[in-house]
Amino acid sequence: MKLTSFGEKFTRKSGILELMDDLGNAVAGQGRVCMLGGGNPAIIPEIQAVWNRCLSELIQDGSGLEEALSSYDTPQGKQSFLESLSGMLKNSFGWNIGPENIAITNGSQSAFFILLNLFGGTDASGVKKKVLFPLCPEYIGYADQGLEPDIFTTCPASIEILDDFLFKYHVDFSSLKVGDDVGAICISRPTNPTGNVISDEEVRQLSSLAEDAGVPLIIDNAYGSPFPGIIFEEVKPFWNENTILSMSLSKIGLPSVRTGIIIGRPEIIKAVSSCNAIISLANGTIGQVLTESLFQSGEILDISKNIVRPFYNRKSIQAQNWVKAYMPVSADYRVHKSEGAIFLWIWFRNLKISSRELYENLKKRKVIVVPGEYFFFGLDQDWEHSKQCIRLNYSQSADLVEEGIRILAEEVDKALRQ
Amino acid sequence: MKLTSFGEKFTRKSGILELMDDLGNAVAGQGRVCMLGGGNPAIIPEIQAVWNRCLSELIQDGSGLEEALSSYDTPQGKQSFLESLSGMLKNSFGWNIGPENIAITNGSQSAFFILLNLFGGTDASGVKKKVLFPLCPEYIGYADQGLEPDIFTTCPASIEILDDFLFKYHVDFSSLKVGDDVGAICISRPTNPTGNVISDEEVRQLSSLAEDAGVPLIIDNAYGSPFPGIIFEEVKPFWNENTILSMSLSKIGLPSVRTGIIIGRPEIIKAVSSCNAIISLANGTIGQVLTESLFQSGEILDISKNIVRPFYNRKSIQAQNWVKAYMPVSADYRVHKSEGAIFLWIWFRNLKISSRELYENLKKRKVIVVPGEYFFFGLDQDWEHSKQCIRLNYSQSADLVEEGIRILAEEVDKALRQ
């Protein structure tokens, strides 16, 4: 099969694809697997009951069913959904936005494929622009999305050691340079993989750096506030005219309806809609139809605050307690302070093996995690730290998470004795 | 806003985007609009009842609901759906395929974004490959999908004049050359915009041309056999190891679940899955969950043959009768023989205005069609015929289609008298 350069780049054995094969094969295998690798959110019974109720209403209301299944949406999204969502954001946070500030995409990943390539790559005058991730490590899913090579640049986080086996990353503003070649600045908040939440003050600083450089600040808020609310710090949702905010229905419990939400200036929204039209024609509608009344009534905020957030907060604390209970202290391990998202990010400072080898050893014992090194893309320097961390999804069932952490501790112990 | 070259290409006022704006504005306007422009399929009550039944089953079966909404699919698709579909195709048509021969995409348009750029564009050795469309006119949706400029080449159809105000396009094999720069051959069957169906013999010829050139033959079967069955000619579904067959759930009545289906060799499927993972992470699941039992039982074939096909056949004949009843014979018009798909393609040989001007005049009277000239992309020569045709969606409600055709006839009459 003879492929174009696009084809070769998008199909070669990159880290993420290799890993996905592994995950697939692990699941396909026989027996019990502790699947703490992927990004699937939890199944929360109270939330499932909400979808069940919304679907039943859809069936009773014939025209709702028609809209959800049988009519193409526009490339921007469903007008009534855009109105409900912008209304809620305007009323709750005072943002000066309307439906013209929102575009829907077939999931957050598709939104970033579009955004990262709108602002990273060679422009008409031949200048190559890069997207700057000011805090490394960052989400693995961005790493392979550039149509051109090397469109990402990043800056190692500074590390603060905390009590109680914890640590925390910060944006290292002292070494952060926004060069002329930067086309956009991008952060996730809470950050996948680490659960770090950039503070309101750090966001303001990044926002003014972006404004000074004349480039947008992109914030991936897939886990954040006001929905789904998997954020345990008291921070304010942030948007201004120079910000592109990305949200999603995935982590509120609807990953397979593929509904990404972009909030930005009308010209940004037009650009995203145009890309949608050419790449996807139209967006999936069911996520929008299913949740529209929740945005209209504001129920989505209650669900996020009173069901989703406490659920994950409990799960996170429980998982951290298991780590403390099982992990050998001699590993000199640290867990990133869990401020949001659905992962524990564990840093091992004493192991004689890399996180990749630890991952392989765990896979043999049917525990699937993600080795941290994939999250350090865009770095132009070696960083030993990048081979010392793993990501673990704590949102799965309690017995699997506990068993996975117990086996992880055993493998860490084995590695220490090598 | 400073964009990359990708950004400029994908957001500039191309034909299709300008048109979409028009369509959007026309709909947003006051009063009754004869919307015969877009590609939305009909709402068929018997089919809506099927979706209603399938959705109710989903709600009753809790785990079905969970699968449909709350768990990420793999980038290839849902294993049980891939098994049901490949089983049906194997048993019904004897194709030597399994789940490893099928990948799901977020709609057919996303599938073509991937496929056209896998095979059209510069390869690693610096050679620029083109996708050859052997029959021009072709589907407008492909026109802007190339990441590189000028990756399409095409060949004007030969025209056969038929009785009863009809005509038909054929592949002009005498002038069709498959040069060294061709990376794939691509057809749609039935063809959007014209309703033409390439014969079994023509498909065989194209297949061996592709095989001789060592490139795949891509067949877009979004309207075709065995499902949704909007095809009025007796032709055989076609697939072999050198063919990439694209299917869709849109025209069976599920456009907004965005479910495209690619059937090909395992290496092709792996490539499409990889692109899915990077561009979209995962596919929408609800279309697969909703229809899986219909593939399992074969009911999808009955629905296609006994409900969908006769419905559209009646609609097509009715629309053609209105054209004959209203259209001035002095326009020397011809309708493309309606062999499938949901459009009438009308050729006006005597008008003093272009199809674009006719479109503008119709828009003023709240009748939306698509001017034909957008469907002639990739041509390297002028062709007067390209400004003489319009596409009209006949699947909408009878009164709107009749009124639209009546107003079209009046505008044609006006143009003749200019």
Side-chain angles (χ1 to χ4, degrees), chain B residues 16 39 87 154 160 181 197 223 237 248 253 268 280 285 302 315 331 342 374 390:
Chain B
I16 178 72
T154 191
E160 180 190 9
D181 63 341
V197 173
Y223 297 88
S248 161
I268 305 275
S280 324
T285 309
D302 299 336
K315 295 281 284 183
I342 62 179
Y374 294 121
I390 61 162

Side-chain angles (χ1 to χ4, degrees), chain B residues 312-383:
Chain B
Y312 283 105
N313 208 350
R314 274 196 308 275
K315 295 281 284 183
S316 169
I317 290 167
Q318 198 180 37
Q320 290 178 65
N321 286 338
W322 284 321
V323 172
K324 270 189 239 170
Y326 293 118
M327 202 60 71
V329 171
S330 55
D332 197 12
Y333 77 90
R334 299 262 156 191
V335 179
H336 192 284
K337 190 178 172 203
S338 177
E339 302 177 308
I342 62 179
F343 309 105
L344 290 192
W345 176 254
I346 316 180
W347 174 24
F348 299 102
R349 294 195 289 189
N350 264 351
L351 292 199
K352 295 174 187 82
I353 59 174
S354 70
S355 56
R356 175 88 208 188
E357 289 168 273
L358 179 58
Y359 157 77
E360 295 288 352
N361 295 345
L362 286 167
K363 196 167 67 165
K364 282 181 204 136
R365 299 195 60 190
K366 306 209 174 205
V367 176
I368 307 293
V369 299
V370 180
E373 51 202 279
Y374 294 121
F375 299 86
F376 292 83
F377 58 92
L379 266 184
D380 59 2
Q381 61 199 90
D382 270 347
W383 191 15

